[in-house]
Amino acid sequence: MDAMATGEGRREGVRDRSRVCKSKEAEIKRINKELANIRSKFKGDKALDGYSKKKYVCKLLFIFLLGHDIDFGHMEAVNLLSSNKYTEKQIGYLFISVLVNSNSELIRLINNAIKNDLASRNPTFMCLALHCIANVGSREMGEAFAADIPRILVAGMDSVKQSAALCLLRLYKASPDLVPMGEWTARVVHLLNDQHMGVVTAAVSLITCLCKKNPDDFKTCVSLAVSRLSRIVSSASTDLQDYTYYFVPAPWLSVKLLRLLQCYPPPEDAAVKGRLVECLETVLNKAQEPPKSKKVQHSNAKNAILFETISLIIHYDSEPNLLVRACNQLGQFLQHRETNLRYLALESMCTLASSEFSHEAVKTHIDTVINALKTERDVSVRQRAADLLYAMCDRSNAKQIVSEMLRYLETADYAIREEIVLKVAILAEKYAVDYSWYVDTILNLIRIAGDYVSEEVWYRVLQIVTNRDDVQGYAAKTVFEALQAPACHENMVKVGGYILGEFGNLIAGDPRSSPPVQFSLLHSKFHLCSVATRALLLSTYIKFINLFPETKATIQGVLRAGSQLRNADVELQQRAVEYLTLSSVASTDVLATVLEEMPPFPERESSILAKLKRKKGPGAGSALDDSRRDPSSHDINGGVEPTPSTVSTPSPSADLLGLRAAPPPAAPPAPSGAGNLLVDVFSDSPAAQPGLGPSPEEAFLSELEPPAPESPMALLADPAPAADAGPEDIGPPIPEADELLNKFVCRNNGVLFENQLLQIGVKSEFRQNLGRMYLFYGNKTSVQFQNFSPTVLAVQTKRVASQVDGGAQVQQVLNIECLRDFLTPPLLSVRFRYGGTPQSLTLKLPVTINKFFQPTEMAAQDFFQRWKQLSLPQQEAQKIFKANHPMDAEVTKAKLLGFGSALLDNVDPNPENFVGAGIIQTKALQVGCLLRLEPNAQAQMYRLTLRTSKEPVSRHLCELLAQQF
């Protein structure tokens, strides 16, 4: 028998190679000799029997695995597939799986052999064929066998079912469109009841993947998954001997079932929900039991189930007892000797901190987390500890947490310093009890880690100081003292230059900070600074001439110096010349007018938190948001609607209803669930999530209550007792209602309406055919609103507080479901009494059909194929119109993404055009949509073409989108 034909032979070959081949050249020579021998055998006149073919094909496979190219033997491997011997067929399939390219000319022959094996009664041959399909995974194989595999999956033997499920999963991941379940859905779901645990494990993996795209089709799996999980959790280690891993029954299946349940909201059926809660409690109880084995495999399996259980509890966020127990369990891991467990505990507690039920329980571990921040050896664990401190921060512990983070910042790893700086800046601004503490904190931040303080941070402190009269004097005094340090960071010089230039007169009465002293202090830093800082200081000097005439001669001497007037930098030279001329020729009145104090900055969204979210990535939304558990929080600088340039699905500003009067009265505690939008709405990323759990889309869907099925409306919200106002009491929308609605077509957050009395803000999120909308009503006056009654026409809504104090806000939450396509948005009516006078207004709720647009990626070939299928005249809507805004490609791209479609690259032959695709998700049906936008920059015109499977939708989407350009 040839030494390389069997496992023993291959091992002997390896030993021979290492013993004889002393160099790479010797090995290549030996391999080439062997290849020549095999090639002569295949081309010889004598026909080879099955065993010989297997032997030589196996040699080729082994040589390939050694790193050498193989360019023959493929046909012989295909011939092995027709053998009736398992070993020969196995080697043939193995060779094909490893060496045959999906574009090979032999694919048709291979497919025929696979088809024969799938049709056979031999389960071993069927499994080999299924494994080959999964390993190759090409589209051609998917097209050939995708329709047959579901039949095998539900009707084969146990071992075949398991292979079929995994094979189908592989094909679905490679080409989802090739695996239409249809009639097989119910039978696949019922595999969760199969007696064979291997089949159940494979079926759970398949269903978890399928249900993410079609959750409604597989929602019956919830009760079966709970039933199966209950049986596993309640079983003893001896009950499932074949699937017990170190005294833990079926740990992999348990984890998969828990992940499957996270794809759905809590079960509606009380019995199923009760059984699931019992399972979760059992897992938490078992975590408290002493281990049955000291081996690490036992603790790993046990902890894997525990952490997945905690993830499900966090996902549901509806069981206070379980959330608190989960928090306590994680608290025990914070001091565990295993680093990975400490890391996972900190990471999970970050999410728990955003829940109103468990936030207080998380706060009890603050000392342990602070200790971890100081003493952990692993930088990733320290980073998670900083994240948790940030997440658990509220008004009660803000000073302690900010102080500890500042202390840690002095020795923090360079990789995370910038992130720590951003977090400290955000917390100091958000939870500042007085502005002097905020100013001290930011100046300390610049002193400790000036290199990591971005422009966004020191810009923000300047905005706040400028807008708040009560802190300007303190800020000037503090920054003057900070500048006296021998080593002063350049960012401190920038802040000092601006504040002293604006408010230095407030401390000029003290001889220790007289105008000449202030100027000398700033000018001593001048030559050490960059060009940008020098330019700022020159502007400060000219401000000093206006504020302190006694410094005029000294400052003019500085401006007249040759180093300024003949400076190599054009910006500095121009400023010096202009400022010198201005101070020489302008009268005192003109100078005072030109150099008057800067007006208050427009209240806009804070860029600090947006920067942090960009740094943390799309998944940071839930970790950064605490809106559900800190309703009293207010950004100390308020906010308004962002500028029109932030069109990339822009968010509303910080403290959406932050009042522009300074400082606003304290608002009473909002109802449960109302929250400050500081964290959420600063984000300029569409990924920002409103604190809905660890997995944004799944957690979002899990928390929505199902609307009342009997409602006749296409859009429903919160099936709760309706407010008193009826349709007959609601007047027509205000004249600008359409214009206000149009602003929200490509965005979900912002200020919907504002006048001198009332501000109405909107924050919304949509997934598939479901949506959640927060309406914030802010009283801008100092007088209480009486009989306050907001009502959404023909949609049942929950009541809000009937009285809104001056300077306060109330929140209304709508859970929305799109039952079918619609053209007209619901009406929002707001009524109240102000000073005894009734007030009312009616608006259009910013819910348009494109809010339920799910982006869809597709290749160019698929796009044009689908485009041709939607070629009926009634399926297309086209509009040619003149541009109403500057034609900027990036802005256009951002608007199309905000509209909801996926932008497809390299599809349109003209790279200037935009092509998109998506699906309108409704409960009744799905409407596919393709769009093409053709800009003509020379003519300042657009041509917009939409094709959908439903005529009214095409026209309506075309009208909505055209108005955005």
Side-chain angles (χ1 to χ4, degrees), residues 24 31 102 191 236 251 304 325 409 483 619 664 689 700 867:
K24 185 69 175 176
I31 294 296
S102 59
L191 288 176
R325 287 194 61 187
L409 192 56
L483 287 172
Q689 303 295 330
F700 177 86
W867 184 268

Side-chain angles (χ1 to χ4, degrees), residues 68 320 341 349 452 592 643 681 704 785:
H68 301 272
L341 284 180
M349 288 184 79
Y452 299 90
T643 60
V681 300
L704 294 183
F785 289 168

Side-chain angles (χ1 to χ4, degrees), residues 380-407:
S380 63
V381 181
R382 294 197 296 273
Q383 186 167 3
R384 292 289 81 78
D387 290 342
L388 180 53
L389 285 176
Y390 177 83
M392 70 167 63
C393 187
D394 59 20
R395 289 197 184 281
S396 66
N397 57 18
K399 283 193 173 183
Q400 179 187 4
I401 288 177
V402 169
S403 174
E404 291 294 344
M405 293 180 83
L406 279 173
R407 193 173 294 117

Side-chain angles (χ1 to χ4, degrees), residues 60 77 266 326 338 468 498 500 578 591 731 747 802 809 856 909 912:
L60 291 176
E338 182 65 38
R468 304 291 176 179
Y498 184 94
L500 292 179
E578 291 179 353
L591 203 62
R747 60 194 293 184
S802 60
Q809 70 177 32
T856 303
E912 301 296 326

Side-chain angles (χ1 to χ4, degrees), residues 116-127:
N116 292 335
D117 283 336
L118 291 179
S120 71
R121 297 281 184 178
N122 190 322
T124 304
F125 291 175
M126 294 176 73
C127 287

Side-chain angles (χ1 to χ4, degrees), residues 146-147 149-151 153-154 164-165 168-169 171-172 176-189 191 203 206-207 209-211 213-214 217-218:
I149 297 175
R151 173 183 55 80
L153 174 60
V154 300
L168 199 60
L169 176 60
L171 292 180
Y172 181 80
D177 56 307
L178 297 181
V179 189
M181 295 306 295
E183 60 185 292
W184 303 106
T185 300
R187 299 180 69 179
V188 170
V189 169
L191 288 176
L206 175 62
I207 294 169
C209 188
L210 292 173
C211 73
K213 184 176 181 181
N214 303 299
D217 294 345
F218 292 90

Side-chain angles (χ1 to χ4, degrees), residues 330-403:
L330 291 173
Q332 297 177 18
F333 287 137
L334 292 180
Q335 295 177 313
H336 199 278
R337 59 184 177 84
E338 182 65 38
T339 303
N340 288 337
L341 284 180
R342 297 197 300 273
Y343 179 92
L344 291 172
L346 290 166
E347 189 175 48
S348 298
M349 288 184 79
C350 282
T351 311
L352 275 174
S354 66
S355 170
E356 59 182 316
F357 301 119
S358 55
H359 179 69
E360 292 300 321
V362 172
K363 284 168 56 179
T364 61
H365 301 284
I366 184 171
D367 293 334
T368 306
V369 180
I370 290 173
N371 185 61
L373 186 66
K374 295 176 180 178
T375 61
E376 278 289 349
R377 306 171 95 182
D378 191 310
V379 61
S380 63
V381 181
R382 294 197 296 273
Q383 186 167 3
R384 292 289 81 78
D387 290 342
L388 180 53
L389 285 176
Y390 177 83
M392 70 167 63
C393 187
D394 59 20
R395 289 197 184 281
S396 66
N397 57 18
K399 283 193 173 183
Q400 179 187 4
I401 288 177
V402 169
S403 174

Side-chain angles (χ1 to χ4, degrees), residues 677-832:
L677 296 185
L678 172 76
V679 176
D680 234 32
V681 300
F682 272 162
S683 171
D684 56 3
S685 166
Q689 303 295 330
L692 299 175
S695 175
E697 176 167 336
E698 298 163 352
F700 177 86
L701 294 174
S702 75
E703 295 191 354
L704 294 183
E705 300 176 7
E710 65 274 6
S711 172
M713 291 296 293
L715 287 171
L716 297 178
D718 258 67
D724 294 335
E728 65 277 6
D729 300 324
I730 296 179
I734 60 176
E736 60 269 28
D738 287 327
E739 180 183 351
L740 297 174
L741 176 69
N742 187 44
K743 292 181 180 180
F744 284 81
V745 170
C746 294
R747 60 194 293 184
N748 290 332
N749 309 316
V751 177
L752 176 63
F753 173 82
E754 185 174 12
N755 61 14
Q756 68 275 18
L757 303 179
L758 176 70
Q759 186 188 53
I760 303 177
V762 175
K763 184 163 79 82
S764 55
E765 182 74 7
F766 297 86
R767 289 287 185 276
Q768 299 178 14
N769 68 317
L770 302 176
R772 170 174 291 163
M773 178 173 289
Y774 294 81
L775 296 175
F776 298 88
Y777 306 93
N779 183 349
K780 296 178 60 177
T781 73
S782 58
V783 179
Q784 186 184 67
F785 289 168
Q786 300 286 340
N787 301 332
F788 189 79
S789 176
T791 307
V792 181
L793 179 60
V795 176
Q796 294 179 333
T797 57
K798 292 179 179 178
R799 292 180 183 274
V800 298
S802 60
Q803 295 179 343
V804 184
D805 293 336
Q809 70 177 32
V810 294
Q811 173 184 287
Q812 187 177 33
V813 183
L814 303 178
N815 285 346
I816 301 169
E817 180 177 16
C818 181
L819 302 181
R820 57 181 179 275
D821 57 287
F822 62 98
L823 305 180
T824 306
L827 296 180
L828 168 65
S829 173
V830 181
R831 297 175 173 225
F832 58 95

